[in-house]
């Protein structure tokens, strides 16, 4: 049980965390701050936070658990604003989709206080954002990645694990580097491709006619193209190195498919499609990695 | 009301059409044929068809409405098998996702009998295939594109329009060329990209670890990668010219995004993301094209 949760950034992620902790009876009081006063006010009116703070520092003051839920690019500024109140024993977490840049910012700003910071990335979200979509069940059944550092206080890593588990999430730990490589592959690149694809369709002469014909496959494939420009600007810049590496791999796979299409080599094309078709058919979200590398190598 | 529906190809599409016509009381009897006798047998056991025919020709014999629901590449062979029974007044349709190749095959094979053929493409489907997934509601609320030719009998175009409308579909008409250009953009290219993307992730050393971390964005983005290799082999070969054109547009959009990422130009990146983000947020499946080209040009 925490005495006070300080939420810096009362959006979808921060608001949902506050609601989840309240519903689970894990916190007595929630103090929230957002850059936009109308957002903080709205969070208070909705009952997501109990007290509207006038600064990030005031949201942290008196809190024994702090969630920084601001756009990734604003993390460093937030650390600067609150660093004087980052005391030993206070659990400070973020929710950023990239971790190396956040950890770098924490090293630069928090310095000897970095032991309180447990970098976190909950694999949850919606294509909508904003406090009005906050949902106490957002993290239920989802994975949360923690990327603790050598200096991170082990008891805070345990507390972080406990609090996410208590609201229904499954907690995994990895290094910031492995995290960023993995999410470049399974999250950041798909967003980049969805943005590129949607743009390419709509920005052609008959684009709007084409869109009126699109069906359920298009709907699902492009759902993430509706994601927040600010959020994804930050993620794609912060993790560009890994994302560009993954894009290179993707282009090679696309080249191979187009090559056999150009040749009219139907058999080779079928062969190239069969792998992803079977792989995606057997894939299940949240399933742990099969020992030995999956169905083709189990024995 | 039809006397007899002949279904050539008792899979998801053919089976669902038969079930829908039966449920709507539009047909007295359904005769079905599939290349695999066990499929035909299964369709009969499931009550999707009333009579199992031993050949495509026998499925057409005595039918006043015929649905050819075979892989696109098998359409020409099917036309050859049934052409002697394609009589004036018999409505013959296909369900292929490409139309120029089907129309070309019809011209070659049906010749003076081509007036009976109304090329059709229902925008419906699932990432699963096979008669076991047949569903009387598959076409309900979906669009069906008809691409009649100058020679097509107008009364059969009307009959085709009526039968699809009666099972809940919205019927649109366009030329085979416009159809193939539009669906290269909104359906065929996304499938190609999804196959390429899923392959590129899984075929890297840590690929299977990465997959265990993937969330709902990945799930939806890759859903169509599970589609049938045979179906998509045929579509991507048949419509390769238009698909490769669309892929070229996509690559240009991807290049532009990567260029500003490499430069670390966050503002330009946000600008490039804002277009698709807003466009996808306002897009609705099945909404007719806004007069004047959408929200930015209405006045």
């Amino acid at each position: 049980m925490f005495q006070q949760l300080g939420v810096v950034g009362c959006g979808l992620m921060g608001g949902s965390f506050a609601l989840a902790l309240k519903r689970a009876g894990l916190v007595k009081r929630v103090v929230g701050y957002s850059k936009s006063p109308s957002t903080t006010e709205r969070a208070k009116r909705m009952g997501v936070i109990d007290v509207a703070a006038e600064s990030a520092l005031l949201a942290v003051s008196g809190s024994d658990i702090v969630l920084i839920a601001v756009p990734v690019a604003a993390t460093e500024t937030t650390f600067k604003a609150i660093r004087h109140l980052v005391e030993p024993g206070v659990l400070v977490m973020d929710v950023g989709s990239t971790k190396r840049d956040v950890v770098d910012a924490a090293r630069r700003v928090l310095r000897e206080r970095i032991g309180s910071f447990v970098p976190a990335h909950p694999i949850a979200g919606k294509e909508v954002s904003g406090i009005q979509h906050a949902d106490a069940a957002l993290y239920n059944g989802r994975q949360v990645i923690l990327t603790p550092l050598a200096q991170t206080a082990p008891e805070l890593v345990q507390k972080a694990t406990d609090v996410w588990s208590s609201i229904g999430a499954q907690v995994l730990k990895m290094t910031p580097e492995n995290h960023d490589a993995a999410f470049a592959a399974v999250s950041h690149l798909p967003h980049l491709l969805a943005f590129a694809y949607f743009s390419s369709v709509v920005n052609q002469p008959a684009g709007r006619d084409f869109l009126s014909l699109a069906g359920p496959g298009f709907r699902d494939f492009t759902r993430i193209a509706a994601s927040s420009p600010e959020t994804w600007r930050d993620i794609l810049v912060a993790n560009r190195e890994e994302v560009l590496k993954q894009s290179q791999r993707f282009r090679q796979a696309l080249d191979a498919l187009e090559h056999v299409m150009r040749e009219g080599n139907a058999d080779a094309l079928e062969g190239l499609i069969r792998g992803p078709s079977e792989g995606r058919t057997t894939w299940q979200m949240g399933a742990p990695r099969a020992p030995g590398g999956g169905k083709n190598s189990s024995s």
Side-chain angles (χ1 to χ4, degrees), chain A:
Chain A
M1 176 66 146
F2 295 96
Q3 294 302 311
Q4 183 179 303
L5 165 66
V7 176
V8 182
C10 301
L12 172 68
M13 305 295 277
S16 297
F17 187 75
L19 287 175
L21 261 64
K22 284 187 166 203
R23 194 170 69 172
L26 291 169
V27 68
K28 288 196 183 153
R29 202 164 82 121
V30 178
V31 180
Y33 166 75
S34 269
K35 204 172 148 192
S36 147
S38 68
T39 301
T40 321
E41 197 39 56
R42 187 168 189 171
K44 181 144 181 262
R45 263 202 328 271
M46 287 173 64
V48 173
I49 63 174
D50 304 307
V51 179
E54 291 191 358
S55 71
L57 190 68
L58 286 171
V60 171
S61 175
S63 295
D64 48 352
I65 176 169
V66 172
L67 193 76
I68 300 175
V70 300
V72 170
T75 308
E76 184 154 1
T77 313
T78 305
F79 283 145
K80 284 179 183 158
I82 68 168
R83 74 176 295 275
H84 296 294
L85 290 180
V86 175
E87 308 283 358
V90 176
L91 170 60
V92 179
M93 296 188 287
D94 75 320
V95 297
S97 299
T98 51
K99 294 270 77 71
R100 280 193 305 178
D101 61 322
V102 166
V103 163
D104 288 346
R107 287 190 207 278
R108 278 194 299 272
V109 179
L110 300 181
R111 279 171 279 173
E112 75 287 356
R113 296 168 184 252
I114 200 168
S116 290
F117 180 54
V118 182
H121 173 204
I123 315 306
K126 302 181 176 178
E127 70 277 20
V128 293
S129 51
I131 185 71
Q132 65 273 28
H133 301 291
D135 174 2
L138 185 68
Y139 303 113
N140 188 31
R142 297 305 169 92
Q143 296 184 319
V144 175
I145 318 292
L146 304 181
T147 66
L149 311 173
Q151 306 97 308
T152 315
E155 67 277 16
L156 292 182
V157 178
Q158 189 57 53
K159 268 195 192 175
T161 306
D162 293 344
V163 71
W164 287 109
S165 302
S166 302
I167 60 174
Q170 183 201 349
V171 177
L172 299 176
K173 295 183 190 75
M174 59 179 78
T175 66
E177 291 73 23
N178 286 346
H179 170 279
D180 284 6
F183 285 91
V186 298
S187 170
H188 309 169
L189 179 63
H191 280 79
L192 180 67
L193 300 181
F195 296 138
Y197 167 69
F198 196 94
S199 294
S200 78
V201 174
V202 79
N203 293 332
Q204 58 187 295
R208 292 185 178 275
D209 288 325
F210 290 174
L211 287 185
S212 71
L213 297 169
F218 177 93
R219 177 195 60 204
D220 291 354
F221 184 75
T222 59
R223 182 177 66 77
I224 54 176
S227 301
S228 152
E230 294 81 9
T231 302
W232 284 92
R233 168 199 69 197
D234 291 352
I235 293 170
L236 293 176
V237 167
N239 202 25
R240 61 187 159 179
E241 204 180 305
E242 294 293 339
V243 176
L244 291 168
K245 269 191 223 165
Q246 289 296 329
S247 182
Q248 201 50 42
R249 289 187 180 275
F250 161 77
R251 284 171 185 260
Q252 284 162 4
L254 182 59
D255 288 344
L257 283 157
E258 292 191 353
H259 178 73
V260 296
M261 281 168 67
R262 268 197 199 88
E263 283 186 324
N265 189 341
D267 286 347
L269 181 60
E270 185 185 335
L272 290 178
I273 296 174
R274 190 164 298 281
S277 173
E278 293 181 354
R280 179 57 180 80
T281 300
T282 54
W283 176 79
Q284 286 193 319
M285 190 168 77
R289 184 186 185 283
K295 69 181 176 106
N296 293 325
S297 55
S298 63
S299 57

